[in-house]
Amino acid sequence: MKRALVLSALLTLSTAAAQKTVTIGWSGAITGPTSDAGASYAAGIEDYCKYAIAQNMVPDTKLNCVVRDDQYNNANTQRNFEDYVGNLRASAFLGYSTGGTLQLKSTIQETKTVTFPGSYHIGNIDGANSDYIFLPISSYSEQLISLVEWVAKKERGAKIALVVNPSPFGRAPVDDVKKAAERLGVKIVDVQEVGANNLDNTALLKRFEAAGVKYVVNQNTAGPVANILKDAKRLGLLGKMQFMGAHYTGGEDLTRLAGDAANNFIWSTSYFLYDEADKPGMQLVKKVGTQYGRKADTIRSVHYTSGMLAASIAIEALKRAKGDGSSEAMLRAVTGMTGSKTFNPGFTVGPVSFSAKDHVGAESLRLLQADNTGNFKAITGAQRSQMFKLVHPN
């Protein structure tokens, strides 16, 4: 009996010694600007990590997922990254803001830290210092150009206004959209920056009306867009102008904030939605969110799914690397997600595929439109923009 206990103790010690700890760190806005998206994004990361640990997705490895609020402050993002990489020796960094990711590009390259930002700005993966950065889904530029392509098919010569967040996140795709509009035969007649304090948009909307704008394309989060839509309804402009937007503008976050003023809003995103219950990925979203006690609004938010996708890619890379969290092993695992080895966790309308030259994961997207019940329904199948490749070649 005594010998059995000794052997058992040795086995336990041996198992503990064999189990290595790997860290995945996220830094983003749980409070502060854009936290209307960031709080749900953080919850998605936390819960998928708990689920992965419970499922023992990476055998013989202790997953340590750390989520920190940086309040959309680049200095805080920098400090969090330095702690993750310098002290916790993180195997992957899950970023968030455009400004924070751009600020860290050279440091990410220097430290060879595989990074998956919540910002889908194409500049994150352009040019130098981008070997270790990977966009989980299609870029803002491709999402917005897809919307402009839809306008061009509907009305050649149409007048379009862009409304963007006053930040690198908002401004990032403007040049690409302008180039695409010119080639598509539509006109960008105005570009306005609007933040979260836009409580009265009367002057903005009257300016658009006077300029003959029929389409308003937003690069923002849902809060500022909801305020514009409610003012457009008050001014009787909803039927005269078509409002549209990229990923962070739409979904149930928008209809919850804007109510029936969100009717007919057209939205581009790569993600499946909460109500698409036949999709295995959405079934997992509901199961995990409920299991870990999240509120209904959090589970229904597309940003909860976005956080789960980012965490799932990093953990899948660790799994394929057999728990080796070194830079070399992680980069090899991520860039190997191609061809027959693509990764499809079921959260997006296409699989996640990366290679050494291709740093965009789920490249397909759909356009969806809000109906009179506040639900978004697909008005296109999964597709890619044709014009994006022409105005922004690799």
Side-chain angles (χ1 to χ4, degrees):
M1 181 66 180
K2 186 176 180 181
R3 175 180 168 76
L5 287 173
V6 170
L7 287 174
S8 176
L10 287 172
L11 180 61
T12 301
L13 287 172
S14 174
T15 302
Q19 191 176 56
K20 50 192 171 293
T21 298
V22 292
T23 296
I24 296 171
W26 180 77
S27 179
I30 299 175
T31 61
T34 77
S35 59
D36 51 348
S40 296
Y41 197 100
I45 290 173
E46 286 182 330
D47 290 354
Y48 191 86
C49 284
K50 292 176 186 173
Y51 172 72
I53 292 168
Q55 296 295 311
N56 193 28
M57 283 189 185
V58 188
D60 302 324
T61 303
K62 181 181 179 182
L63 276 176
N64 178 37
C65 295
V66 186
V67 168
R68 291 181 184 165
D69 182 12
D70 64 20
Q71 301 174 312
Y72 212 58
N73 180 314
N74 292 347
N76 292 337
T77 308
Q78 179 93 27
R79 280 191 287 272
N80 285 336
F81 178 85
E82 289 172 355
D83 186 48
Y84 289 149
V85 175
N87 297 322
L88 300 179
R89 302 199 176 283
S91 298
F93 177 62
L94 306 182
Y96 181 70
S97 74
T98 300
T101 306
L102 292 175
Q103 178 176 288
L104 283 169
K105 271 189 81 171
S106 61
T107 309
I108 289 169
Q109 183 76 10
E110 182 181 348
T111 58
K112 300 181 178 180
T113 305
V114 170
T115 296
F116 304 99
S119 160
Y120 308 137
H121 171 33
I122 193 68
N124 292 334
I125 59 172
D126 275 348
N129 299 324
S130 56
D131 293 344
Y132 291 85
I133 303 176
F134 299 86
L135 302 189
I137 66 165
S138 59
S139 68
Y140 299 137
S141 289
E142 184 156 2
Q143 294 168 29
L144 289 171
I145 290 171
S146 294
L147 291 169
V148 174
E149 285 175 331
W150 183 88
V151 172
K153 288 178 183 176
K154 190 175 181 67
E155 183 179 346
R156 189 165 183 80
K159 292 183 178 181
I160 301 171
L162 298 181
V163 179
V164 305
N165 190 274
S167 68
F169 152 65
R171 299 170 187 131
V174 171
D175 286 345
D176 281 341
V177 174
K178 285 182 174 178
K179 291 175 188 173
E182 185 174 355
R183 296 183 67 152
L184 288 164
V186 293
K187 300 175 182 175
I188 304 296
V189 299
D190 203 349
V191 180
Q192 292 292 315
E193 295 191 356
V194 171
N197 58 349
N198 63 330
L199 300 180
D200 186 347
N201 301 282
T202 302
L204 176 85
L205 292 166
K206 288 291 186 183
R207 175 190 176 109
F208 291 165
E209 184 179 31
V213 169
K214 289 184 65 176
Y215 301 90
V216 180
V217 179
N218 294 270
Q219 166 63 354
N220 219 317
T221 57
V225 176
N227 291 338
I228 291 172
L229 293 176
K230 287 186 283 189
D231 285 340
K233 179 184 177 185
R234 173 174 55 81
L235 295 169
L237 295 174
L238 283 184
K240 298 177 182 177
M241 295 180 188
Q242 174 66 59
F243 292 86
M244 322 170 84
H247 172 72
Y248 279 101
T249 64
E252 295 203 14
D253 300 87
L254 181 67
T255 52
R256 177 168 48 81
L257 293 169
D260 63 2
N263 290 355
N264 294 320
F265 187 86
I266 296 178
W267 178 43
S268 59
T269 186
S270 297
Y271 290 96
F272 286 123
L273 304 185
Y274 178 89
D275 285 329
E276 295 182 280
D278 60 325
K279 309 300 182 188
M282 302 318 297
Q283 292 169 8
L284 181 62
V285 165
K286 295 174 186 178
K287 173 185 171 183
V288 171
T290 302
Q291 180 176 346
Y292 295 115
R294 297 295 180 183
K295 294 179 180 178
D297 285 348
T298 298
I299 302 172
R300 298 183 74 95
S301 169
V302 70
H303 308 306
Y304 183 69
T305 307
S306 305
M308 290 187 68
L309 176 69
S312 72
I313 297 171
I315 292 170
E316 175 67 14
L318 274 169
K319 179 182 175 182
R320 295 187 182 196
K322 301 186 186 306
D324 182 351
S326 66
S327 295
E328 295 79 8
M330 287 292 287
L331 185 63
R332 189 164 53 247
V334 173
T335 55
M337 293 180 184
T338 185
S340 62
K341 296 182 179 179
T342 55
F343 175 50
N344 192 0
F347 302 135
T348 51
V349 297
V352 174
S353 175
F354 295 115
S355 69
K357 292 184 177 179
D358 177 10
H359 283 212
V360 179
E363 295 177 308
S364 297
L365 57 82
R366 294 181 300 179
L367 303 188
L368 306 101
Q369 189 165 24
D371 63 18
N372 57 12
T373 68
N375 293 316
F376 278 88
K377 305 295 183 186
I379 58 174
T380 73
Q383 62 181 25
R384 292 203 62 188
S385 162
Q386 298 303 307
M387 184 55 68
F388 170 71
K389 303 169 190 172
L390 301 178
V391 301
H392 202 110
N394 291 330

